[in-house]
Amino acid sequence: MKNERALLVLRYIALTVLAALCIGPILVMILTSLKTQAQTFTTGLSFFFAPTLENYRDVIFDSSFGRYLVNSLIVGIISTLLTLLFGCMAAYGLARFSFAGRRTIAYTTLMLRTVPLAVIAVPVFMIWGDWRLTNSLGGLILLYVAVNLPFTIWLLYGFVLQVPVELEEAASIDGCRPWKIFLRIVLPLIRPGLAAAAIFTFRIAWNEFILALVLTDRSTRTLPVAASLFVTDIGVEWGKLMALASLIALPPLAFTFLAARQVISGLTAGAVKG
Amino acid sequence: MSAGIELINVTKRFGNNTIVDGINLTAAAGEFIVLVGASGCGKSTTLRMIAGLEAVSDGRILIGGRDVTTARPDQRDIAMVFQSYALYPHMSVAENMSFALTLTRAPKDEIARRVGEAARILGIENLLDRKPKALSGGQRQRVAMGRAIVREPSVFLFDEPLSNLDAKLRAQMRVELALLHKRLGKTTVYVTHDQVEAMTLAERIVILERGVIQQIGTPTEVFNRPQNLFVAGFIGSPVMNMFKGVLAAPDRVDLPDAQVSVRLPAPLGATVGKPVILGIRPQGLLLGAGAETLRMRVKVAEFLGTETVLNGTLAGSGEPVTAAVGGEHGQLADHEIDLSTNPAHVHVFDAETGLNLIQPAKEGNNETT
């Protein structure tokens, strides 16, 4: 009995430490964003200071913020949509059609995703340069689609496999051609997978820094690259950097909450006997 | 309108494996045909070929006189009820039932009328707004049938539709299926491995084994006149007793190991001295000594309410024996008893070919063998 209680206490302590490790940096980010540059160095991690929204005002009303925000939204949304579009079709093809090397492709797709993005930065820069894709949002979108597709295909492949083939057969007897089966039967049933893939893809496209830094210029810069501009030769503008970081974190957060509602299990419940 | 079905030399091969081997079968318009056989005998593959879900390797399929061998499933004017129900989980019951009609852009009031009519026939009017996951197994089965009825097809195909239901519900649905067929009068091809379903529902039963038709006939024909050992062993419960014997005279089979001679209902044309298998239905073994008496050591006596099934071995040969005798006879367990035979339930099979020598093949395999 005593041991159980001790174990419970230990468990809560461990969970609290883990939670603190997760929340701590976010808290520091928000606190710093509400401080003046002077307060950043004088108050340390203290909660006791006179908060100011000056950093947010400076960041938001900066002449370039709007452009960077639009760039990030375009890159994030379009690359997510394209990744889902190609990903679900590739996953369906891998799961349902038989062709040479199908299983090998299905199971090795994910290996491509294990390569760190920093490793491909230089070759991508050279190839994109040759193809005249640098300094364009299209080039960045293409890259993020390529980077995110393997995981999306792998994830959706598993979801498509869970859709009973009998449903597709029933639909074909009901009068659906292959495209209609895919759109009317399969896609609605892999919605949780699409939502999970969308969260993953959008988050990477929105937050990615290294490749965006290499491939963009003043007009095509995304928000994470813009944040790096607060690191200057004469020092780091912590307040503004943290204010922008806080703002950058909001859209993926909202998107995740929205999309996560679709990530529910049991969509195929009742389709076939369990 | 109902349409007949014709399978002409239909074959299905997967690589080097022949799953269905040159089947010939004709179902008249409005007929209820049951394909029955053990797992892997090719019955479901045959049904799927009729549905167009499986390509035919060889042969032709005609529905209503029209060659549909290469037609898409939706061009065959059929509806199919799957073993697993295959209801669209993201649609309500009403949407499931009306899906095919909405694809053909049928008028809304027509769709509503047909869904309502099917729901009324099946007693699922109160379930129309529910999703499949909120239904019981029996209700899902009804919805699957409703989805088929709504389309008003020429042919209904059923792939073991009752196998996921419990025994009580299965018996109830069996009756409902029979009533439904009587009411709609549509040609029906029904696949099952359950011989009770086959015997009770079918106008004609098709017994398949390793992709080949073993016999086609009415339930009475296949039970009383099995064409070969396989059919004899497959149809009937408990399973027919089989004893090794020799044709001692045109109307007499000797069982040398059991030292018994059994009289046949009629003399056979086969050569005397020929090795044969004597088949006797458990219902054809009667308690008490007779003109020829089989001695049985009873090991287990199972009382089933109206009859007792005695399981044991034949004294002398040790071959397994089952006898189904009327009334309660639980006390016979662990006793040695005398059984006499009812000649009407006696069959003689050629030990080499397995063919029934009393009722030689008339229609034959694939309706010709």
Side-chain angles (χ1 to χ4, degrees):
Chain A
M1 195 71 184
K2 239 177 186 176
N3 276 349
E4 270 181 31
R5 178 162 286 187
L7 207 67
L8 199 69
V9 170
L10 273 176
R11 192 177 295 164
Y12 272 99
I13 291 172
L15 288 172
T16 310
V17 170
L18 281 173
L21 284 173
C22 291
I23 297 168
I26 297 171
L27 204 62
V28 171
M29 176 180 78
I30 294 168
L31 285 177
T32 311
S33 72
L34 297 170
K35 292 175 183 174
T36 61
Q37 184 76 353
Q39 281 173 330
T40 308
F41 296 104
T42 54
T43 57
L45 294 176
S46 170
F47 285 86
F48 303 103
F49 63 92
T52 171
L53 292 173
E54 202 177 300
N55 292 320
Y56 287 94
R57 193 193 59 202
D58 290 350
V59 166
I60 292 170
F61 292 108
D62 179 280
S63 60
S64 304
F65 176 78
R67 192 187 334 138
Y68 299 153
L69 177 66
V70 170
N71 286 346
S72 274
L73 283 172
I74 289 173
V75 169
I77 292 170
I78 295 182
S79 66
T80 301
L81 289 177
L82 288 177
T83 307
L84 292 185
L85 178 71
F86 295 128
C88 66
M89 290 195 290
Y92 184 70
L94 281 172
R96 289 292 190 252
F97 301 117
S98 53
F99 51 86
R102 180 180 75 147
R103 289 184 74 83
T104 316
I105 293 173
Y107 290 109
T108 53
T109 307
L110 199 59
M111 282 169 63
L112 295 171
R113 189 62 192 85
T114 57
V115 179
L117 293 183
V119 172
I120 61 170
V122 173
V124 160
F125 179 72
M126 291 166 72
I127 296 168
W128 260 232
D130 282 351
W131 292 351
R132 299 176 193 281
L133 287 171
T134 49
N135 303 330
S136 74
L137 293 182
L140 205 54
I141 289 168
L142 179 68
L143 181 63
Y144 289 154
V145 171
V147 163
N148 285 322
L149 255 181
F151 176 79
T152 303
I153 293 172
W154 175 81
L155 182 76
L156 295 179
Y157 174 69
F159 276 88
V160 175
L161 283 182
Q162 281 179 26
V163 176
V165 179
E166 291 97 324
L167 292 185
E168 297 183 37
E169 291 177 342
S172 75
I173 289 175
D174 275 346
C176 284
R177 306 293 293 274
W179 266 108
K180 210 163 238 178
I181 292 175
F182 179 65
L183 294 173
R184 300 280 301 262
I185 307 295
V186 178
L187 274 191
L189 294 179
I190 62 167
R191 212 171 60 205
L194 290 171
I199 292 170
F200 175 84
T201 308
F202 182 77
R203 201 179 51 81
I204 289 201
W206 183 266
N207 290 336
E208 203 283 324
F209 172 71
I210 294 176
L211 296 170
L213 179 70
V214 172
L215 293 175
T216 56
D217 61 6
R218 188 183 291 268
S219 62
T220 54
R221 204 169 272 158
T222 55
L223 284 173
V225 180
S228 70
L229 298 179
F230 294 118
V231 182
T232 64
D233 294 341
I234 52 165
V236 179
E237 293 182 80
W238 287 109
K240 288 179 187 172
L241 179 58
M242 292 301 126
L244 183 54
S246 302
L247 291 173
I248 291 175
L250 289 178
L253 209 63
F255 182 74
T256 303
F257 273 114
L258 279 176
R261 293 171 67 179
Q262 305 294 326
V263 187
I264 44 166
S265 60
L267 255 195
T268 54
V272 297
K273 62 113 191 178
Chain B
M1 222 184 69
S2 188
I5 303 173
E6 214 175 325
L7 306 187
I8 305 164
N9 276 322
V10 171
T11 299
K12 179 65 188 178
R13 282 184 288 268
F14 289 110
N16 291 328
N17 295 330
T18 302
I19 307 299
V20 175
D21 196 0
I23 277 183
N24 288 291
L25 173 68
T26 306
E31 193 175 14
F32 199 123
I33 293 269
V34 173
L35 304 183
V36 70
S39 296
C41 69
K43 56 188 188 297
S44 282
T45 308
T46 305
L47 192 79
R48 290 170 60 80
M49 285 193 287
I50 298 172
L53 298 174
E54 212 72 71
V56 174
S57 305
D58 254 325
R60 291 196 303 145
I61 296 175
L62 277 63
I63 295 178
R66 189 167 59 95
D67 191 332
V68 294
T69 313
T70 55
R72 290 199 315 264
D74 60 301
Q75 295 171 327
R76 300 185 178 211
D77 199 14
I78 50 137
M80 183 160 166
V81 176
F82 291 80
Q83 179 180 9
S84 57
Y85 319 135
L87 300 177
Y88 310 125
H90 54 302
M91 298 182 195
S92 69
V93 167
E95 287 167 340
N96 262 283
M97 289 168 69
S98 62
F99 186 59
L101 296 180
T102 54
L103 289 173
T104 60
R105 295 202 167 86
K108 275 188 179 168
D109 52 346
E110 170 71 4
I111 294 175
R113 185 188 66 74
R114 276 157 75 166
V115 169
E117 171 74 6
R120 194 179 55 74
I121 291 172
L122 295 163
I124 52 171
E125 292 147 298
N126 56 335
L127 306 176
L128 290 175
D129 294 328
R130 290 203 203 162
K131 290 271 174 69
K133 68 180 171 191
L135 304 176
S136 69
Q139 288 170 333
R140 282 179 203 173
Q141 188 55 62
R142 280 199 177 82
V143 175
M145 277 156 56
R147 186 168 63 178
I149 292 171
V150 162
R151 297 187 54 205
E152 297 181 0
S154 300
V155 174
F156 281 112
L157 305 175
F158 290 90
D159 189 4
E160 307 204 28
L162 308 184
S163 61
N164 293 328
L165 305 178
D166 61 52
K168 192 179 168 192
L169 198 53
R170 204 181 309 158
Q172 184 191 332
M173 291 301 288
R174 218 164 49 215
V175 174
E176 288 188 24
L177 266 171
L179 289 172
L180 197 66
H181 176 67
K182 204 175 268 184
R183 179 179 189 144
L184 301 175
K186 297 289 172 77
T187 315
T188 302
V189 182
Y190 187 105
V191 161
T192 182
H193 62 266
D194 181 344
Q195 55 163 302
V196 178
E197 276 173 39
M199 296 292 279
T200 52
L201 287 170
E203 286 171 55
R204 280 194 304 155
I205 298 178
V206 179
I207 299 143
L208 281 157
E209 155 77 338
R210 278 182 279 184
V212 176
I213 294 177
Q214 300 295 318
Q215 186 170 356
I216 301 174
T218 64
T220 316
E221 280 169 354
V222 295
F223 184 81
N224 290 333
R225 288 184 280 144
Q227 282 182 3
N228 56 38
L229 273 172
F230 179 81
V231 176
F234 193 82
I235 297 291
S237 179
V239 175
M240 184 188 281
N241 296 295
M242 306 282 186
F243 307 115
K244 282 183 195 161
V246 176
L247 193 65
D251 65 346
R252 187 163 288 276
V253 171
D254 280 355
L255 306 180
D257 294 339
Q259 296 176 335
V260 179
S261 203
V262 176
R263 191 170 50 84
L264 305 178
L268 302 181
T271 322
V272 171
K274 190 180 184 63
V276 294
I277 304 285
L278 184 76
I280 308 175
R281 293 253 180 236
Q283 296 80 359
L285 290 170
L286 312 170
L287 275 181
E292 49 273 310
T293 302
L294 294 172
R295 194 116 186 97
M296 174 189 185
R297 283 197 198 97
V298 180
K299 289 181 177 168
V300 179
E302 300 168 307
F303 178 56
L304 303 179
T306 55
E307 63 174 13
T308 304
V309 176
L310 306 172
N311 292 289
T313 53
L314 208 56
S317 72
E319 289 170 286
V321 191
T322 305
V325 293
E328 186 182 357
H329 298 285
Q331 78 284 0
L332 294 180
D334 301 319
H335 285 74
E336 203 159 292
I337 59 168
D338 285 336
L339 295 170
S340 57
T341 59
N342 176 354
H345 287 279
V346 172
H347 302 268
V348 182
F349 301 95
D350 188 316
E352 279 174 37
T353 62
L355 290 176
N356 193 338
L357 296 173
I358 292 182
Q359 296 293 340
K362 285 175 187 168
E363 299 151 292
N365 187 20
N366 298 346
E367 290 207 322
T368 55
T369 308

